[in-house]
Amino acid sequence: MKANVVFASTVAVWSYCAYPSLNSFHCSCAHRPMEGNLLKVASEQQSKLDLSLKMAFTKAPVTYGGPVLNEEFSILHGFGEVEGSRKLCPGVYVGGSEELMNEVRINRFKPENALFVKGHAAWVPGQLQREINKGVWYTASVSSDFILRYAGAPCTEEDNKGDLWSDILNCMGGDWAKIAEMHAGRGDMRMLP
């Protein structure tokens, strides 16, 4: 499995940002938006997030990323390459929260244009591919507008702002659109942790 593949799941809304480690395959997932902003989520739940980041990104949206390392947050953004960040795909970067915090302080970056992802998902070698083969996950190449939708990326009138999973499958067309239609109306809150 190569890095920077986007997955649309039959259970989760969507996920992105794959990176290999020694004994497993890790992925930050944005299954669904969490209720409240970063300050609320990071203050109410166990978190390793620094207070200065909480304060700078008070208004930043948060999505549920998975049950692994649930006290940790990743940051996704479209600001560009900054110190500590890594390009995932065109227009999407992960990391660089310290540098982005400085950009927020000098009004060059809006906190609500960052997407914090709480927790991660992980698979043992071969597990993710087996799950894809079983139809648990669907692979999809999507634009940065899909990946950063919860961080203020533009939506069109045809987009269903409350159902990203369905929008991705509809854009894929054919049988994928039929799957989206079968599960229509559930929205991004279809899967709660």
Side-chain angles (χ1 to χ4, degrees):
M1 185 59 41
K2 51 183 209 183
N4 306 335
V5 174
V6 176
F7 302 98
S9 166
T10 60
V11 176
V13 176
W14 60 283
S15 61
Y16 52 84
C17 171
Y19 55 94
S21 73
L22 294 175
N23 297 313
S24 63
F25 184 81
H26 293 265
C27 182
S28 292
C29 298
H31 293 300
R32 60 164 180 80
M34 295 185 77
E35 197 171 304
N37 55 33
L38 181 66
L39 184 61
K40 180 180 186 289
V41 172
S43 297
E44 290 178 351
Q45 302 176 16
Q46 185 178 3
S47 165
K48 291 184 176 179
L49 202 60
D50 181 76
L51 179 61
S52 59
L53 282 174
K54 288 182 198 177
M55 298 310 293
F57 289 97
T58 297
K59 297 178 182 178
V62 181
T63 64
Y64 173 71
V68 179
L69 301 172
N70 204 24
E71 69 282 353
E72 293 186 7
F73 289 81
S74 299
I75 183 172
L76 291 173
H77 57 90
F79 184 77
E81 201 154 331
V82 295
E83 186 177 333
S85 72
R86 183 170 65 102
K87 183 178 181 178
L88 296 178
C89 60
V92 181
Y93 299 82
V94 63
S97 57
E98 294 291 327
E99 186 63 33
L100 285 175
M101 182 172 54
N102 293 331
E103 298 296 331
V104 167
R105 288 179 176 152
I106 60 174
N107 294 318
R108 287 183 25 181
F109 183 71
K110 293 180 180 178
E112 51 273 9
N113 290 340
L115 178 63
F116 281 80
V117 182
K118 186 177 190 310
H120 304 277
W123 294 264
V124 297
Q127 179 185 0
L128 181 58
Q129 188 60 54
R130 286 190 303 274
E131 290 180 10
I132 291 169
N133 293 344
K134 288 181 180 180
V136 175
W137 297 91
Y138 305 136
T139 60
S141 295
V142 299
S143 70
S144 60
D145 288 348
F146 277 129
I147 297 171
L148 296 174
R149 176 176 287 183
Y150 300 134
C155 290
T156 67
E157 288 183 21
E158 296 90 39
D159 292 334
N160 182 345
K161 294 179 184 179
D163 199 343
L164 181 59
W165 181 83
S166 179
D167 272 359
I168 291 171
L169 291 178
N170 278 315
C171 283
M172 293 167 65
D175 289 340
W176 306 113
K178 291 177 187 173
I179 292 169
E181 187 177 321
M182 286 186 332
H183 300 281
R186 294 185 186 176
D188 288 343
M189 300 305 276
R190 68 173 46 86
M191 175 78 180
L192 298 175

